[in-house]
Amino acid sequence: MDSKADPSDEAQGLRLVRAFLSLPPEKRGQVIAFVEDLVRAHVARDDGQEAAPT
């Protein structure tokens, strides 16, 4: 971990990981798909393209 990171940010990140791991497998898959869609939309905007909704 980055020693300069805000401890509250680190704590929030650990809470998110713990919450994710406590989900059933099918819900984890939904979360992963959602995040992948967000990343694709972000990359498309960075490339100057408009993100297409799925």
Side-chain angles (χ1 to χ4, degrees):
M1 296 233 154
D2 184 5
S3 62
K4 296 178 183 179
D6 184 359
S8 62
D9 287 345
E10 290 179 8
Q12 180 66 23
L14 290 174
R15 282 192 290 272
L16 288 170
V17 169
R18 200 174 308 130
F20 175 77
L21 293 175
S22 69
L23 292 172
E26 63 275 0
K27 294 290 183 180
R28 287 187 207 169
Q30 291 176 356
V31 170
I32 290 169
F34 176 75
V35 171
E36 287 173 343
D37 287 343
L38 288 176
V39 169
R40 275 193 290 276
H42 182 73
V43 168
R45 278 194 301 263
D46 286 349
D47 290 343
Q49 302 171 1
E50 190 170 321
T54 57

